[in-house]
Amino acid sequence: MKYKPHNYQQFATDFILNQSICCLMLDMGLGKTVITLTALWQLALDSFDVSRVLVIAPKRVAEDTWPKELAKWEHLTGLTSSLVLGSAAERKAALQRKAFLYIINRENVAWLVKNHYWDFDMVVIDELSSFKSPKAQRFKDLKKVRPKAKRVVGLTGTPGNLMDLWAEIGILDMGQRLGRYIGGYRERFFLPDKRNREIIYSYKPKQGAEEKIYSLISDICISMKAADYLNMPERIENRVEVSMNAKEEKLYQSFERDMVLSIGGEELDAMNAAALSNKLLQMANGAVYGEDKKVISIHDRKLDALEDLVEAANGKPILVAYWYKHDLMRILKRFPEARVIDTSKDITDWNHGEIAIGLIHPASAGHGLNLQEGGCTIVWFGLTWSLELYQQMNARLWRQGQKHTVVIHHLITKGTHDEDVMKALEKKETGQSALIHAVRARIGGM
């Protein structure tokens, strides 16, 4: 396929070419993979600035999205790649093959650093938020070899909060902008927030800290929101509310109040607020894990609502986002024709319209998967507290190339924790806008 870049895509490609260190905060659907590959082609085959590039990505994106994008565009001819996936022997063999790009999943970064002589002169990190924890082994190992790469690019759609930025930017610039140590970063820009005597659980930014942080990183970061640059398809969000009966409500409210409950001889308890939240969301979905992971059924209200949506779709493909394994099992029992989207073949079949009900976990579908050709309807069977996974999941269908109005249904059990999560997701969505706005790219005065 012939590549005709939008102005914003050319701008982003040029930014990579002109910066040895850069972070592209590109909204979902803007084509960050082809933008980056175009820059890599020029760096490897035109200016000869790089010869071996390591691409680190989520596993599904590494094995599916990057290879497909590389094969899709005519102008990328000659930019060879090798997938460093599979068993240890297969990964070693992949590293021995002659290529410009070596694509590895993020889980194998520690193995790579330990078992391979570092000979990469450029690193691309897709998705950068995977390196937001300085305590993670992948962060520690990549940091050891980062100075050996003369170029590095970070790609992300959701940069996270201000505290996350220290690690994300630090793995790119080795602490030049936000400091080499997170303790110093906290002391400089944050104040203790929630605490229990000497134990501090969270921090809040000092007055003016946001503007100062954004100013420090603005030379290597650009952000672009899809709504600013694309004629995005119409998006309709819908709440499908279901109600428990009086007996089910009593069970729910009793557990919410006492954090312990006996259901049909099975004991259910929550040790803390996080565990309580988790159990309440499960109960809102219709089932909950008890002792020894035994599934306790509560109600089928969401299954009934999903059945109504499937019937109304009249054969039109529906993508269902589930969160718990017992949700998946119950959905499959009610809809035997449904299919879990897990492999590259599943993704291809979905995009060819061969799957009427696709089941997908937001954590496995979060980044980089192009599913817009197979359908335009998402049903959230169970909600998640993760704004990043929520946005990324929706962006699998609501993105450039989608030819139809995208409808996002949220199944919400009235009077339950579902309502709290929905409010939080809506609130957090506007909370990240300050960072996006601060480093938004200006192209042609727009």
Side-chain angles (χ1 to χ4, degrees):
M1 184 181 294
K2 194 170 182 61
Y3 179 56
K4 297 179 180 179
H6 297 282
N7 286 342
Y8 77 84
Q9 289 177 315
Q10 188 60 58
F11 180 93
T13 295
D14 290 342
F15 191 77
I16 295 174
L17 294 173
N18 294 327
Q19 301 277 349
S20 60
I21 300 170
C22 64
C23 176
L24 271 57
M25 302 174 185
L26 303 187
D27 215 354
M28 291 77 77
L30 287 176
K32 66 177 183 291
T33 307
V34 69
I35 286 170
T36 307
L37 284 170
T38 302
L40 295 180
W41 188 95
Q42 293 186 48
L43 289 170
L45 296 170
D46 187 17
S47 63
F48 307 109
D49 283 346
V50 298
S51 59
R52 285 175 68 90
V53 180
L54 178 69
V55 177
I56 303 169
K59 185 175 185 296
R60 190 81 57 85
V61 178
E63 65 186 359
D64 191 81
T65 302
W66 280 84
K68 284 186 177 179
E69 286 288 298
L70 196 55
K72 179 179 178 180
W73 304 105
E74 292 180 11
H75 73 293
L76 298 177
T77 301
L79 191 62
T80 53
S81 68
S82 180
L83 291 181
V84 188
L85 303 172
S87 66
E90 290 171 328
R91 295 195 295 269
K92 288 180 180 179
L95 290 168
Q96 296 301 316
R97 285 194 287 270
K98 188 172 178 59
F100 287 109
L101 308 185
Y102 295 85
I103 306 170
I104 193 169
N105 58 310
R106 58 196 179 192
E107 292 79 9
N108 277 323
V109 169
W111 172 88
L112 179 68
V113 173
K114 185 177 180 180
N115 294 279
H116 180 73
Y117 172 75
W118 195 266
D119 54 0
F120 305 104
D121 44 20
M122 183 171 182
V123 177
V124 176
I125 305 174
D126 176 20
E127 162 72 37
L128 185 59
S129 61
S130 300
F131 289 81
K132 66 183 179 183
S133 172
K135 295 181 180 179
Q137 194 61 44
R138 70 176 69 134
F139 177 91
K140 294 177 182 177
D141 288 325
L142 185 60
K143 186 178 179 181
K144 293 176 185 176
V145 294
R146 162 61 189 90
K148 297 182 180 181
K150 62 182 181 182
R151 282 181 171 270
V152 61
V153 177
L155 304 173
T156 185
T158 48
N161 58 42
L162 290 176
M163 193 63 77
D164 292 341
L165 282 179
W166 178 83
E168 293 173 355
I169 299 300
I171 202 67
L172 302 180
D173 73 353
M174 299 302 295
Q176 292 180 29
R177 287 159 182 81
L178 300 182
R180 295 180 59 193
Y181 303 102
I182 191 165
Y185 178 66
R186 278 198 301 256
E187 185 176 342
R188 184 179 179 187
F189 296 112
F190 297 86
L191 294 171
D193 187 14
K194 297 178 181 178
R195 65 189 303 165
N196 181 7
R197 295 183 180 179
E198 293 83 13
I199 302 174
I200 301 172
Y201 294 105
S202 63
Y203 292 83
K204 59 184 178 181
K206 293 180 180 178
Q207 186 174 0
E210 286 187 63
E211 293 78 10
K212 180 63 175 176
I213 292 170
Y214 300 154
S215 175
L216 288 171
I217 67 174
S218 62
D219 64 318
I220 62 168
C221 297
I222 59 170
S223 82
M224 298 178 178
K225 292 187 72 65
D228 294 338
Y229 300 100
L230 299 178
N231 293 320
M232 294 291 284
E234 185 181 0
R235 169 173 164 169
I236 298 173
E237 299 196 17
N238 183 37
R239 292 191 180 206
V240 181
E241 294 187 333
V242 302
S243 299
M244 296 183 288
N245 62 29
K247 180 180 178 181
E248 293 157 355
E249 280 187 358
K250 187 176 180 180
L251 285 173
Y252 181 91
Q253 291 168 1
S254 176
F255 184 69
E256 185 178 33
R257 181 183 63 250
D258 302 329
M259 297 178 69
V260 64
L261 186 67
S262 178
I263 309 174
E266 295 292 334
E267 289 293 326
L268 183 66
D269 66 88
M271 300 301 294
N272 52 47
L276 177 64
S277 172
N278 186 36
K279 297 291 187 185
L280 291 177
L281 286 176
Q282 292 181 58
M283 294 177 77
N285 289 354
V288 61
Y289 288 118
E291 292 292 328
D292 300 320
K293 286 290 183 177
K294 185 173 182 179
V295 179
I296 304 171
S297 296
I298 306 294
H299 63 81
D300 290 336
R301 311 300 176 205
K302 287 194 177 184
L303 288 170
D304 296 339
L306 179 58
E307 188 169 340
D308 291 341
L309 292 174
V310 170
E311 185 177 345
N314 196 26
K316 184 179 177 183
I318 289 179
L319 192 62
V320 181
Y322 70 91
W323 194 252
Y324 300 102
K325 286 185 179 180
H326 57 62
D327 290 338
L328 173 62
M329 295 301 103
R330 291 187 303 124
I331 294 171
L332 286 171
K333 185 176 180 180
R334 177 71 70 95
F335 306 95
E337 71 276 22
R339 180 169 156 189
V340 178
I341 297 178
D342 187 46
T343 66
S344 293
K345 186 179 187 308
D346 297 329
I347 295 168
T348 300
D349 289 348
W350 165 265
N351 281 326
H352 287 169
E354 298 174 10
I355 300 176
I357 305 174
L359 308 179
I360 196 161
H361 194 286
S364 66
H367 301 288
L369 298 187
N370 300 320
L371 301 174
Q372 73 273 16
E373 295 177 17
C376 57
T377 303
I378 298 176
V379 179
W380 281 89
F381 187 88
L383 298 174
T384 170
W385 281 109
S386 172
L387 173 66
E388 179 180 358
L389 293 182
Y390 176 75
Q391 291 177 327
Q392 291 280 357
M393 179 69 216
N394 291 336
R396 297 314 103 217
L397 300 189
W398 189 65
R399 64 193 294 119
Q400 187 178 13
Q402 175 60 257
K403 300 176 182 178
H404 306 283
T405 297
V406 173
V407 181
I408 304 174
H409 297 293
H410 307 86
L411 302 187
I412 298 175
T413 304
K414 292 177 66 176
T416 71
H417 209 33
D418 277 348
E419 295 177 339
D420 300 326
V421 177
M422 199 69 237
K423 288 178 183 177
L425 288 171
E426 292 168 348
K427 183 179 179 181
K428 288 179 183 177
E429 189 159 12
T430 59
Q432 285 191 345
S433 62
L435 171 57
I436 298 299
H437 180 75
V439 293
R440 180 172 297 170
R442 299 292 195 267
I443 304 174
M446 296 183 63

